[in-house]
Amino acid sequence: WLTAPIVLHGIKYAKNKLRRLLQPRPGRTVSIRMIDSIPQTLEIVGADGLLEFKLEHSDGIITQSVFQPAVGRVATLRQTFAYTPASILTPIAHLEEHDAKSIKQFMAGTWVDNSDQAIEFQDVTDPKVILHNNGMTITESHIHAFCQNVGNYSQCYASGPGGVMHAPMDLTFIAGSPSMLRFLFSTAVGDGQLAMVHLTNTVELTAGAQLLRVGDKLQTAVELSGMTNQASGKVVTFESSVSVRGKLIASIKSEFLSNGYFIDYAQAFMRERGQCIAIQLPSEIDVQVLETMSWFVYREDAKQRLTPNAVIEFCLDSTYRYKHSSLYSSVVTTGIVVIKTETGRLVHIADVDYQWTEAHKNFVIEYIRQFEIESDSVYFDNGGYALCLPEAQDEVSFTVPKANE
């Protein structure tokens, strides 16, 4: 078991990760119990005196136990393997009965949502459900711990004028993480938790959002916006909204990859919300062609119509389901069309309602992107701003360019 390079997982071959678990660490103690000169038990105790890992062998069955301290308890993951010396290439085979559920319970027991309450394993079976969390109130300890972990020693996050202490906007992601973790450990997402890595976070602040401060209570709503396959594995995408005192302050898009695990295409989907595209139609013929599209529907009370060179904005939500990697089994796009008047006012003049089956692309998006307005890069006049509060101010605002190119 200690020297086998490969472990058989069902019909797949996987690298033996035992050596990674046994890497030397300061203060670790390793104990081996022998019976008739044959190793039967291996235990590793950490520098804090707590049992971290245990390996047992009996009658051709190997039991591997990993112990992870959590709040008020120890999370334990036990996995069993069959040792068959006659199988020269793969003498170690993973016995996967009940394994998926035990992994989810272990992962849920390992992560915590705040300093005093552990996450319990609560299954989610419906991928359309939205999980709400009202439980994170920002404290000074949250700010100190986060800044220390990421190496952010900015004076912005020390006590400011009048004793007001502001917080990094990154805490918006931390507030939504309990709901994301509950999704990740659920039946709705499936297997692959031990092979999961965090790919990206995209945080978009709402216009007019105030800086976070100690005492703010963050309410979050998290939904599963996509599960798709790529060459290396399954990608799980979440969209989160974060509010303070009932007012939306940020939207977050997060992606996770389960390396080597894939989802059936019948279950794969992707939702794209709030996709806004501004266009200009250069001629009367282009206007007439758009108006003949079956998915473009004027509102009954619309007093204005499309005109050449007018600025038109499409605000769309799309849902894609997959037949295989390069073919959608269905595409649904809905949304509104607004036109900008000479005074700058936006008027809702039409709706978009598009549904199609077995498509390689989204025809609506592809069509309107032909006329998309290209915005020029806009730079700060003075080379940039220091995003910290001046000494005598409690609030500050910044003018941000339209592009970051």
Side-chain angles (χ1 to χ4, degrees), residues 220-350:
T220 63
V222 178
E223 68 173 327
L224 182 60
S225 62
M227 286 195 295
T228 59
N229 290 324
Q230 63 178 31
S232 55
K234 172 178 61 179
V235 176
V236 182
T237 306
F238 297 101
E239 291 186 0
S240 311
S241 60
V242 185
S243 302
V244 175
R245 293 180 288 276
K247 184 177 181 180
L248 180 68
I249 63 166
S251 299
I252 306 171
K253 184 176 181 179
S254 306
E255 291 184 327
F256 296 80
L257 168 68
S258 288
N259 197 11
Y261 288 80
F262 299 89
I263 186 173
D264 291 338
Y265 280 107
Q267 298 175 289
F269 70 94
M270 176 59 70
R271 298 189 191 102
E272 293 183 354
R273 299 183 186 275
Q275 188 175 17
C276 295
I277 303 173
I279 71 170
Q280 280 183 318
L281 301 173
S283 70
E284 186 65 38
I285 293 177
D286 294 316
V287 171
Q288 293 173 2
V289 171
L290 177 56
E291 290 176 330
T292 61
M293 296 295 177
S294 60
W295 45 264
F296 181 88
V297 183
Y298 274 117
R299 290 170 56 90
E300 292 183 0
D301 59 350
K303 297 180 180 179
Q304 289 184 274
R305 290 291 190 266
L306 299 178
T307 57
N309 297 315
V311 177
I312 307 161
E313 293 188 10
F314 288 77
C315 299
L316 306 174
D317 296 334
S318 299
T319 300
Y320 304 86
R321 296 197 173 275
Y322 291 79
K323 190 166 187 177
H324 56 71
S325 60
S326 59
L327 181 65
Y328 300 121
S329 62
S330 70
V331 178
V332 177
T333 295
T334 58
I336 65 173
V337 183
V338 298
I339 191 169
K340 184 177 289 187
T341 66
E342 294 181 356
T343 60
R345 189 167 63 94
L346 297 177
V347 180
H348 181 186
I349 63 168

Side-chain angles (χ1 to χ4, degrees), residues 30-255:
V30 180
S31 303
I32 299 176
R33 185 168 64 91
M34 312 281 286
I35 297 179
D36 297 330
S37 300
I38 299 175
Q40 297 295 311
T41 304
L42 181 149
E43 292 184 349
I44 297 178
V45 176
D48 54 5
L50 298 177
L51 183 63
E52 295 181 348
F53 181 81
K54 187 174 183 179
L55 200 64
E56 301 171 280
H57 175 247
S58 177
D59 298 328
I61 299 297
I62 299 170
T63 303
Q64 172 184 293
S65 302
V66 178
F67 305 93
Q68 177 65 41
V71 177
R73 60 177 174 176
V74 176
T76 304
L77 174 61
R78 287 188 175 86
Q79 295 177 292
T80 56
F81 302 82
Y83 174 53
T84 310
S87 301
I88 299 175
L89 295 178
T90 54
I92 308 296
H94 187 192
L95 303 179
E96 300 185 75
E97 186 178 6
H98 307 305
D99 197 52
K101 184 175 181 179
S102 64
I103 290 173
K104 293 177 178 121
Q105 289 176 327
F106 172 74
M107 297 293 285
T110 298
W111 294 89
V112 295
D113 60 345
N114 55 47
S115 58
D116 23 66
Q117 183 179 358
I119 294 177
E120 298 291 344
F121 176 66
Q122 297 176 299
D123 199 9
V124 179
T125 57
D126 183 4
K128 297 179 182 178
V129 71
I130 298 177
L131 299 183
H132 297 269
N133 187 347
N134 299 315
M136 180 174 175
T137 300
I138 297 176
T139 64
E140 289 191 17
S141 61
H142 282 137
I143 300 172
H144 290 315
F146 177 82
C147 290
Q148 184 175 8
N149 286 338
V150 302
N152 186 345
Y153 303 108
S154 171
Q155 287 300 311
C156 297
Y157 308 124
S159 292
V164 176
M165 187 173 185
H166 289 91
M169 296 303 288
D170 307 74
L171 292 183
T172 56
F173 170 76
I174 295 175
S177 60
S179 295
M180 278 187 275
L181 292 172
R182 186 178 165 194
F183 263 122
L184 289 174
F185 308 147
S186 70
T187 303
V189 169
D191 300 338
Q193 284 75 17
L194 293 181
M196 189 168 286
V197 293
H198 186 189
L199 291 180
T200 62
N201 263 348
T202 303
V203 181
E204 182 177 345
L205 300 182
T206 304
Q210 299 296 317
L211 297 176
L212 295 178
R213 61 182 67 191
V214 171
D216 282 347
K217 186 175 182 179
L218 305 182
Q219 298 94 31
T220 63
V222 178
E223 68 173 327
L224 182 60
S225 62
M227 286 195 295
T228 59
N229 290 324
Q230 63 178 31
S232 55
K234 172 178 61 179
V235 176
V236 182
T237 306
F238 297 101
E239 291 186 0
S240 311
S241 60
V242 185
S243 302
V244 175
R245 293 180 288 276
K247 184 177 181 180
L248 180 68
I249 63 166
S251 299
I252 306 171
K253 184 176 181 179
S254 306
E255 291 184 327

Side-chain angles (χ1 to χ4, degrees), residues 378-400:
V378 180
Y379 299 94
F380 288 105
D381 295 333
N382 63 352
Y385 298 89
L387 298 179
C388 290
L389 292 175
E391 285 294 327
Q393 295 185 23
D394 184 41
E395 295 183 358
V396 67
S397 62
F398 304 96
T399 301
V400 181

